[in-house]
Amino acid sequence: MSTEPASRHFIQQIIDEHIAQGKWGEPGDRTVVRTRFPPEPNGYLHIGHAKSIWLNSSLAEEFGGTCNLRFDDTNPAKEDEEYVESIVRDARWLGLRWPGIDDADDRAGVLFASDYFERMYEWAKQLIGKGLAYVDEQPSELVKQQRGDVNTPGSNSPFRDRPTEESLAQFERMARGEVADGGMVLRAKIDMASPNMNLRDPVMYRVVNAPHHRTGTRWHIYPMYDWAHGLEDSIEGITHSICTLEFEAHRPLYNWFIDAINKDNPEPIHHPQQIEFARLNTTYTITSKRKLLALVEGGHVSGWDDPRMPTISGMRRRGYTSRAVRAFCADTGATKFNAMVDVGRLENALRDDLNKRAPRCMAVLNPLKVTITNWSEHGDADRIEWLEAVNNPEDESVGMRKVPFSRELWIERDDFMEDAPKKFFRLKPGGEVRLRYGYWITCQEVIKNDAGDVVELRCTYDPQTRGGDAPPPDEDGKVRKIKGTLHWASAQEALSAEVRLFDRLFNSESPGKASGEPTDDLNPDSLTVIEQAWLEPNWDDAKPAALFEDGIARVQFERLGYFAVDKESAAQALVFNRAVSLKDSWAKAAKKP
Ligand code: ATP
Ligand code: MG
């Protein structure tokens, strides 16, 4: 019986066919598959890039091939080492394993397009020699005008038919730095009347007299994406060059460049297959690097790794696991149609993973004091009772822990209501609730300050309910029942922690849709900081951290959500980020009239 999943996405099917035909090697040899993830180092990776990493790396894994990490560093102006560093870190975290990867050496096996500049330059000169490229010295405005538009054919540049020696000499001057920025370009000689605008003598090289973060001042010309990308793929022996749908109309050019190099060439270069798929778009999210940079530079977030950012570093800091991110990417699959994915599905993927893996713990975010007035009637007034609590009902192997119960406790302010409606099953005057793993308590008296705010509840506990269990039946055989169960913390022992709650960064499903400016749709309440929450005292980062491959501690605060220890957290100053609530409150809000 086949173990393959019932439906394979369209790229898997294309590759299956190639392998059956032997397009890249012996028919049936699956290991020939070579893919790559080709980021430009001009920003941090985001959820869209995760999709590309998932797609490229899962194909390589499935077929037993390889997936390269290659920087498409062809534009010196916007690129930076900081971005290279963060991208390598994030790609690793997401599970990308490129050939030559080495845990002891960050950069081992990492590839850079800039290492191919020399070869690209030689190929460009060959194209000029074959009469397939020329140097155009017209101002860029004019070049643009002559391109025409979809309804009007373009017109030829007066430089189009200049002698090849002349183009060659000018191209070498461009490369040596003898030409000002924008002074000349190298263009492919294709067809100014092509219905495909990309084929109207596209620019291959432009002059940029700026240092490059890796090649320094070696180059004064830089290749355009369409010229460079296929060559990078070819050099690396990529079989399937996967990109997003916008590049569909660029595919003829991708092929033209490689065919042009191979024309009359006794040693033709490898010709990869470009395949386009629909980019990932999620609601309430922006994934343009330019717009994300504007959020950072405008101070709307604390940085690229602000937990509200859709960047991989932001999501990691917030508490996302790479497993959840990959599961989401796999779940939404690879398609040919652009669609908007509900960001709630991403959050659900995280809930699913953390439900299985995050240990449980009790924390009170908005505390109200409870005093057990009959505590001294059943023992020493100062005693602390250590009660058994389950670490994770989904995972027996992580065992039990003990939580302290004593005369003074914290409960959540929201869990008490003075004038409660009938269906309010939490604490109310005269009402009884279960404190999870603790005891059943009954509210006897409500204490208020002069302003009329509730500041304390005086309650009695039933010593027969130890552990939260129901007491034995009374004389008439009646069993007392209870509906509400609350989380709590023992006031004396509790640890103080700062807790950061996040909501969506934007109020609009398509941020910036109305005005063009995503910042117009910022959610003013996307961050709530609780400076003093109370956490059960046996907290130790190390134990939950060990449960996750990246060593970041994540936990479920019972009834409140999943939380991760923030990078700013310290032993005496704990800081937690809420990764995701237990339920999707937005889905609920949407259903309300
Ligand atoms: P830019 O706006 O700078 O072009 P980019 O998002 O295309 O940004 P790249 O660094 O060129 O950034 O992207 C690297 C790879 O990630 C490319 O192969 C690109 O197709 C892919 N990618 C980027 N965004 C998405 C997305 N939303 N969904 C799927 N793949 C994406
Ligand atoms: Mg791009």
Side-chain angles (χ1 to χ4, degrees):
M1 201 173 73
S2 167
T3 54
E4 300 283 294
S7 89
R8 293 165 61 66
H9 61 68
F10 79 101
I11 301 181
Q12 289 171 312
Q13 292 176 22
I14 292 174
I15 301 180
D16 286 344
E17 239 169 75
H18 287 171
I19 284 170
Q21 293 161 359
K23 184 172 164 86
W24 311 103
E26 291 298 308
D29 182 0
R30 297 162 60 84
T31 64
V32 292
V33 172
R34 304 244 175 301
T35 59
R36 84 286 174 263
F37 172 64
E40 186 181 349
N42 63 350
Y44 279 59
L45 296 186
H46 54 60
I47 183 68
H49 296 118
K51 180 82 172 197
S52 177
I53 289 181
W54 163 77
L55 182 55
N56 283 290
S57 66
S58 65
L59 289 169
E61 247 165 66
E62 174 189 346
F63 288 93
T66 52
C67 179
N68 289 349
L69 172 58
R70 177 214 309 151
F71 284 96
D72 199 6
D73 57 344
T74 53
N75 180 5
K78 290 184 177 163
E79 296 168 3
D80 197 275
E81 254 327 279
E82 178 198 345
Y83 297 135
V84 174
E85 206 174 296
S86 74
I87 290 170
V88 172
R89 182 170 60 236
D90 292 347
R92 263 177 198 275
W93 181 80
L94 279 167
L96 183 64
R97 293 285 171 271
W98 53 90
I101 190 171
D102 180 351
D103 284 341
D105 173 5
D106 236 31
R107 297 296 164 89
V110 176
L111 303 171
F112 292 88
S114 53
D115 287 337
Y116 313 145
F117 283 172
E118 204 75 56
R119 269 178 279 181
M120 292 178 188
Y121 179 59
E122 289 307 317
W123 281 322
K125 288 197 291 191
Q126 287 174 16
L127 256 57
I128 298 174
K130 293 182 206 179
L132 295 174
Y134 61 96
V135 169
D136 196 339
E137 299 180 32
Q138 299 182 97
S140 59
E141 292 310 302
L142 218 49
V143 172
K144 211 180 269 168
Q145 277 173 30
Q146 289 164 356
R147 281 187 81 216
D149 57 41
V150 276
N151 302 311
T152 330
S155 51
N156 289 350
S157 160
F159 291 93
R160 197 172 199 261
D161 291 314
R162 71 194 304 179
T164 55
E165 299 74 40
E166 221 178 273
S167 275
L168 208 52
Q170 292 299 61
F171 186 47
E172 285 171 351
R173 286 188 58 224
M174 286 167 62
R176 281 199 299 271
E178 293 170 19
V179 176
D181 285 21
M184 299 178 189
V185 288
L186 181 70
R187 299 176 72 181
K189 196 190 284 186
I190 308 180
D191 179 5
M192 289 305 291
S194 173
N196 183 342
M197 296 293 291
N198 297 306
L199 296 179
R200 294 186 185 177
D201 290 12
V203 173
M204 294 164 62
Y205 277 96
R206 63 211 165 103
V207 176
V208 183
N209 290 292
H212 182 278
H213 67 106
R214 293 191 77 244
T215 57
T217 54
R218 165 73 183 85
W219 295 99
H220 297 269
I221 52 171
Y222 289 90
M224 302 300 288
Y225 176 88
D226 286 314
W227 165 246
H229 205 82
L231 305 184
E232 298 162 21
D233 289 338
S234 175
I235 288 169
E236 295 176 9
I238 300 303
T239 53
H240 300 89
S241 176
I242 298 167
C243 60
T244 44
L245 282 183
E246 318 86 87
F247 289 95
E248 197 161 13
H250 294 244
R251 185 169 5 113
L253 183 54
Y254 184 103
N255 292 332
W256 188 92
F257 279 130
I258 293 181
D259 291 340
I261 292 172
N262 285 344
K263 188 177 173 227
D264 305 325
N265 187 347
E267 289 172 32
I269 64 170
H270 168 75
H271 194 146
Q273 174 70 53
Q274 177 178 307
I275 301 172
E276 308 85 18
F277 77 109
R279 64 191 303 118
L280 170 69
N281 294 304
T282 49
T283 54
Y284 299 97
T285 311
I286 54 173
T287 50
S288 152
K289 284 188 271 191
R290 186 175 53 79
K291 290 176 183 168
L292 291 172
L293 178 64
L295 290 181
V296 174
E297 289 186 332
H300 301 292
V301 292
S302 65
W304 284 99
D305 73 346
D306 186 301
R308 293 165 295 176
M309 290 281 269
T311 52
I312 302 306
S313 52
M315 291 170 69
R316 176 172 57 232
R317 184 170 175 194
R318 180 159 175 161
Y320 268 86
T321 60
S322 60
R323 224 183 259 190
V325 175
R326 281 199 309 269
F328 166 75
C329 291
D331 179 46
T332 51
T335 72
K336 270 276 183 196
F337 307 99
N338 280 318
M340 198 62 120
V341 175
D342 181 353
V343 74
R345 286 174 72 179
L346 176 61
E347 295 162 354
N348 273 333
L350 181 60
R351 289 187 186 101
D352 284 349
D353 186 26
L354 293 183
N355 178 45
K356 289 182 214 116
R357 298 204 283 166
R360 276 51 168 172
C361 175
M362 289 195 287
V364 176
L365 301 190
N366 188 9
L368 173 61
K369 191 173 188 180
V370 167
T371 306
I372 307 294
T373 51
N374 60 341
W375 191 243
S376 58
E377 290 168 21
H378 302 279
D380 182 354
D382 295 329
R383 78 185 182 284
I384 296 167
E385 293 188 18
W386 291 84
L387 300 160
E388 291 272 316
V390 175
N391 281 333
N392 186 351
E394 304 283 323
D395 179 5
E396 257 182 48
S397 75
V398 292
M400 309 280 287
R401 68 185 188 285
K402 290 198 182 308
V403 290
F405 194 101
S406 65
R407 201 178 74 92
E408 285 184 356
L409 310 166
W410 297 117
I411 64 164
E412 211 70 65
R413 199 161 266 281
D414 283 355
D415 282 335
F416 172 76
M417 240 178 136
E418 199 170 13
D419 298 308
K422 229 182 147 127
K423 291 232 156 145
F424 186 83
F425 298 121
R426 291 169 276 164
L427 201 54
K428 52 192 167 193
E432 187 173 32
V433 292
R434 172 193 292 113
L435 296 182
R436 189 156 165 90
Y437 304 123
Y439 287 98
W440 294 19
I441 62 169
T442 302
C443 178
Q444 309 290 358
E445 195 184 344
V446 180
I447 311 292
K448 295 182 181 174
N449 63 14
D450 294 342
D453 307 320
V454 176
V455 292
E456 185 188 339
L457 303 176
R458 302 245 164 107
C459 301
T460 49
Y461 85 115
D462 179 348
Q464 293 200 291
T465 58
R466 190 182 161 95
D469 296 338
D474 64 14
E475 291 108 68
D476 308 327
K478 265 184 101 182
V479 182
R480 224 156 82 227
K481 284 208 179 113
I482 210 166
K483 280 218 164 118
T485 300
L486 308 185
H487 62 275
W488 51 277
S490 173
Q492 289 257 311
E493 291 77 31
L495 298 177
S496 168
E498 179 180 318
V499 174
R500 299 172 186 170
L501 305 178
F502 307 104
D503 202 343
R504 293 184 180 160
L505 187 53
F506 296 102
N507 274 326
S508 162
E509 269 196 13
S510 305
K513 193 173 183 185
S515 70
E517 270 308 319
T519 47
D520 290 341
D521 290 325
L522 279 168
N523 174 5
D525 304 317
S526 62
L527 171 65
T528 306
V529 178
I530 292 170
E531 284 171 16
Q532 190 166 69
W534 294 108
L535 180 65
E536 62 172 77
N538 41 11
W539 176 260
D540 168 12
D541 280 4
K543 278 188 204 158
L547 297 171
F548 296 93
E549 45 288 331
D550 58 9
I552 295 174
R554 297 161 176 96
V555 59
Q556 183 196 101
F557 288 160
E558 301 221 17
R559 298 176 68 224
L560 299 173
Y562 296 100
F563 294 74
V565 173
D566 188 71
K567 67 173 188 186
E568 290 171 355
S569 185
Q572 298 307 316
L574 295 167
V575 182
F576 289 87
N577 295 325
R578 180 153 72 187
V580 68
S581 58
L582 291 181
K583 290 205 184 86
D584 184 353
S585 58
W586 284 66
K588 243 187 292 166
K591 267 188 222 136
K592 276 185 199 155

